[in-house]
Amino acid sequence: MTTQPGTPPTHRTDHRTDALRAATTDQTWDLLVIGGGASGLGTAVEAATRGYRVLLLESHDYAKGTSSRSTKLVHGGVRYLAQGNVSLVREALHERGLLKQNAPHLVHDLGFLIAAYKWWAAPFYGIGLKMYDLLAGKLNLKASRYVNKAQALERTPTLKKQALKGGILYFDGQFDDARLAITLLRTLENHGGVALNHAPVVGLIREGGKITGARFRDQETGQEHAVHARAVVNATGVFVDDVRRMENPAVKPMLSPSQGVHVVVDRRFLPGDSAIMVPRTDDGRVLFAVPWHDHVVIGTTDTPLPEASVEPRALPEEVEFILKTAAQYLDPAPTRADVRSVYAGLRPLVKAAEGTDTKSLSRDHVIRISDGGLITLTGGKWTTYRRMGEDTVNRAAAQAGLPQRLSLTAGLKLHGAAAPDTHQADHWQVYGTDAAHIQALPGADTPLHPELPYTEAEVRWAARAEQARTAEDVLSRRLRALLLNARASIEAAPRVTAILAEELGRDAAWQDAQVQAYRELASGYVLN
Ligand SMILES: Cc1cc2nc3c(=O)[nH]c(=O)nc-3n(C[C@H](O)[C@H](O)[C@H](O)COP(=O)(O)OP(=O)(O)OC[C@H]3O[C@@H](n4cnc5c(N)ncnc54)[C@H](O)[C@@H]3O)c2cc1C
């Protein structure tokens, strides 16, 4: 099951079948992690690199939840600084620096311009951002600085010119969230951990009042299996309360989900080399317009929801709000017809007292341990996933009586981490050292679709090396086609499915069902 870093699968392997076999061998794992988003993968990598035996179970696919639907920033959170949450920002800035060192193929520096249209705006934000620089300490990126009107327009030529005074330029990191999740999966496997997708946990196992394992269903066969572990971590994002209720149906919910929406438009709406940060929208939030994979991601919103769902959908008023706010800053401004994709993600915000506004709920992570020993990890953000994993494994090891071992992840290069001089300017960059192996596969020169940057070889690779099982796994998270251009991704689905069928040994009926299922899902990302 374990592949060594740099050992590419050169022939067809059914990666997931191996993982299923390993998951169901009769043994007691040191750690069972439920959920394959940032929190679960971070925890599993932390445990495996300390030498603990770890199994991760994911109900759908890695990063299917919130972890593929972020703003794509590796950041300290300028907004939390404005709220006075200095220690949270310092920790996140430290993690930003570590992630850039450990995954240089997935994280790069990006300039963010705060445009000033009032005389006081530049000095006001400038002081705050100097503090942001200072809090990053040795790991700071480039220092923030004032820019005049001409410099601001050089960096962001489509910025509205009328009344523009200049602005503040500061730096944060940018990344590809789902690709980081897949990179963590590969890192986990390189260190002997086992992870299985399409494997929902459907119940917990309790012996003598203690949680000692879980039952999961293999979605591909419908079979249920039991697994045993010394410690069980619930890292199911906005679904943590569902898993907590498997232990105690009467438990009080700890989360209050809030939805954040983004729209994706063509790069021509923000053609320079910088992002735009709007520090205060009409509803008191921040809004970003960020260049990403030759497109622009614009968001987000903060809409409290009564309950969580697997496929949250943007509300019409959220899209309208984003486009209206963008139009205050961009000229030309994107309209509904320009939106290539719209996606929604759910924030796992830890509940506060009745009547609290979700904008002010905790963005920090929380670890809660139940009477039966179920360890629930939630909150936080992608940027701090490593620290969340470290804290969780410390707690789990203490609770399960595992031998104490030091964390190694602060200096751990993630799978594929490439030397800086091997940087590729195109979409191959996210694969790091794997890129050369993929480019040697059949179809490396065959585009999947004229409006998408991807090739057929990447689909083969996703099936062979990255546990992709469905058209959605490939088009949404191994490649980012669903977010970049939902319509084009629907058109690419039949070819993707045919390649997957070849790789995984599936028949025509399976292909038809896949294409149909993908069309239905992706139509929810198209603005009509
Ligand atoms: C709109 C928005 C923008 C954001 N932008 C940023 C950003 O720019 N930078 C940043 O650092 N952070 C950002 N965040 C925060 C960050 O994305 C989240 O904190 C993080 O992704 C949460 O990860 P998670 O693993 O806790 O949850 P999830 O990613 O939701 O993962 C939970 C997983 O558990 C699985 N699961 C659920 N039930 C079960 C079960 N019974 N059995 C097995 N598996 C199960 C789900 O399928 C899911 O994959 C943003 C969040 C939102 C909502």
Side-chain angles (χ1 to χ4, degrees):
M1 169 61 216
T2 305
T3 46
Q4 291 308 310
T7 311
T10 48
H11 56 94
R12 283 203 227 159
T13 54
D14 192 343
H15 193 128
R16 185 176 177 279
T17 304
D18 291 345
L20 179 63
R21 196 174 303 122
T24 51
T25 50
D26 191 19
Q27 63 171 309
T28 300
W29 299 90
D30 290 327
L31 207 72
L32 168 65
V33 178
I34 311 173
S39 306
L41 286 161
T43 301
V45 167
E46 179 70 32
T49 51
R50 289 196 205 184
Y52 300 134
R53 287 175 328 134
V54 58
L55 170 66
L56 181 147
L57 297 172
E58 159 56 48
S59 57
H60 295 80
D61 183 31
Y62 310 107
K64 161 74 182 179
T66 307
S67 297
S68 58
R69 301 156 187 271
S70 78
T71 313
K72 327 297 181 200
L73 305 181
V74 181
H75 64 158
V78 173
R79 197 160 84 76
Y80 311 131
L81 194 59
Q83 291 167 356
N85 207 335
V86 172
S87 61
L88 181 66
V89 175
R90 185 189 288 118
E91 178 182 288
L93 287 171
H94 182 70
E95 292 299 324
R96 177 187 75 173
L98 294 183
L99 188 53
K100 192 185 151 196
Q101 283 173 2
N102 293 332
H105 51 319
L106 288 168
V107 181
H108 63 268
D109 295 0
L110 184 65
F112 289 75
L113 187 84
I114 300 183
Y117 288 93
K118 303 261 189 302
W119 66 266
W120 52 264
F124 179 79
Y125 293 114
I127 291 165
L129 286 159
K130 279 288 162 230
M131 188 159 162
Y132 195 68
D133 291 344
L134 286 175
L135 285 174
K138 282 199 302 248
L139 293 177
N140 195 25
L141 313 179
K142 281 180 219 151
S144 62
R145 60 174 187 271
Y146 295 97
V147 289
N148 62 27
K149 181 174 177 174
Q151 290 164 329
L153 288 171
E154 194 186 314
R155 289 198 159 254
T156 51
T158 48
L159 200 59
K160 275 211 163 154
K161 297 176 185 59
Q162 203 186 355
L164 180 68
K165 307 273 182 282
I168 295 290
L169 184 70
Y170 74 95
F171 292 84
D172 250 327
Q174 190 194 33
F175 77 131
D176 182 325
D177 48 12
R179 285 304 314 175
L180 179 56
I182 300 305
T183 299
L184 289 171
L185 164 71
R186 302 294 311 278
T187 308
L188 172 67
E189 292 174 341
N190 294 340
H191 288 85
V194 176
L196 193 66
N197 54 2
H198 302 285
V201 164
V202 293
L204 297 175
I205 299 170
R206 193 200 304 245
E207 289 162 30
K210 292 286 167 208
I211 300 298
T212 57
R215 280 178 295 108
F216 76 89
R217 190 188 313 114
D218 171 14
Q219 293 291 52
E220 296 194 347
T221 60
Q223 267 186 353
E224 283 195 17
H225 303 271
V227 289
H228 295 274
R230 295 188 170 83
V232 178
V233 173
N234 169 17
T236 53
V238 284
F239 298 101
V240 288
D241 288 327
D242 291 356
V243 175
R244 291 169 71 234
R245 276 192 287 269
M246 290 177 190
E247 181 188 14
N248 173 8
V251 76
K252 270 181 98 174
M254 60 187 280
L255 285 193
S256 143
S258 159
Q259 173 161 291
V261 164
H262 295 86
V263 303
V264 181
V265 299
D266 288 349
R267 188 74 155 89
R268 69 186 167 91
F269 290 103
L270 193 63
D273 60 2
S274 300
I276 290 177
M277 195 266 208
V278 176
R280 199 170 167 80
T281 59
D282 294 345
D283 74 342
R285 292 191 45 75
V286 298
L287 188 105
F288 291 96
V290 185
W292 189 66
H293 291 320
D294 211 24
H295 288 69
V296 183
V297 173
I298 313 178
T300 182
T301 55
D302 198 344
T303 310
L305 293 185
E307 59 183 33
S309 62
V310 176
E311 268 299 328
R313 287 283 174 260
L315 303 174
E317 55 269 31
E318 292 181 289
V319 174
E320 201 180 305
F321 172 80
I322 293 171
L323 292 176
K324 193 185 85 188
T325 309
Q328 291 167 9
Y329 293 87
L330 294 178
D331 182 18
T335 65
R336 285 180 67 85
D338 298 309
V339 173
R340 299 284 182 197
S341 183
V342 52
Y343 65 93
L346 299 181
R347 292 183 189 83
L349 297 182
V350 180
K351 233 179 171 51
E354 284 279 293
T356 312
D357 181 355
T358 56
K359 288 196 291 289
S360 62
L361 297 191
S362 172
R363 253 74 180 179
D364 211 347
H365 67 276
V366 170
I367 299 169
R368 214 173 268 181
I369 306 187
S370 72
D371 292 345
L374 177 68
I375 302 160
T376 294
L377 165 65
T378 193
K381 55 182 170 188
W382 242 124
T383 306
T384 52
Y385 84 92
R386 191 208 65 81
R387 183 57 200 268
M388 291 160 66
E390 182 180 338
D391 290 351
T392 306
V393 173
N394 286 345
R395 299 284 293 272
Q399 185 191 262
L402 300 174
Q404 292 290 325
R405 293 182 189 143
L406 290 180
S407 172
L408 300 173
T409 47
L412 179 81
K413 297 277 181 256
L414 300 188
H415 180 90
D421 60 358
T422 55
H423 189 279
Q424 308 205 37
D426 51 27
H427 82 281
W428 295 103
Q429 168 68 13
V430 295
Y431 297 107
T433 54
D434 279 345
H437 304 311
I438 307 170
Q439 286 158 357
L441 291 177
D445 296 326
T446 315
L448 271 181
H449 188 280
E451 290 172 46
L452 294 170
Y454 306 113
T455 64
E456 292 191 1
E458 292 166 83
V459 183
R460 294 192 190 283
W461 180 259
R464 291 182 195 185
E466 299 180 340
Q467 240 185 79
R469 307 299 286 181
T470 68
E472 181 198 336
D473 292 354
V474 173
L475 285 162
S476 175
R477 293 171 293 273
R478 306 305 181 283
L479 315 179
R480 307 313 307 273
L482 177 62
L483 298 198
L484 296 184
N485 190 330
R487 258 183 232 284
S489 80
I490 293 171
E491 288 162 12
R495 183 64 196 132
V496 165
T497 306
I499 299 170
L500 270 185
E502 223 177 282
E503 291 291 327
L504 302 174
R506 303 288 197 249
D507 60 15
W510 181 86
Q511 292 187 48
D512 291 346
Q514 278 295 309
V515 171
Q516 181 58 25
Y518 185 74
R519 194 174 292 138
E520 262 166 45
L521 173 114
S523 61
Y525 291 67
V526 175
L527 261 198
N528 292 310

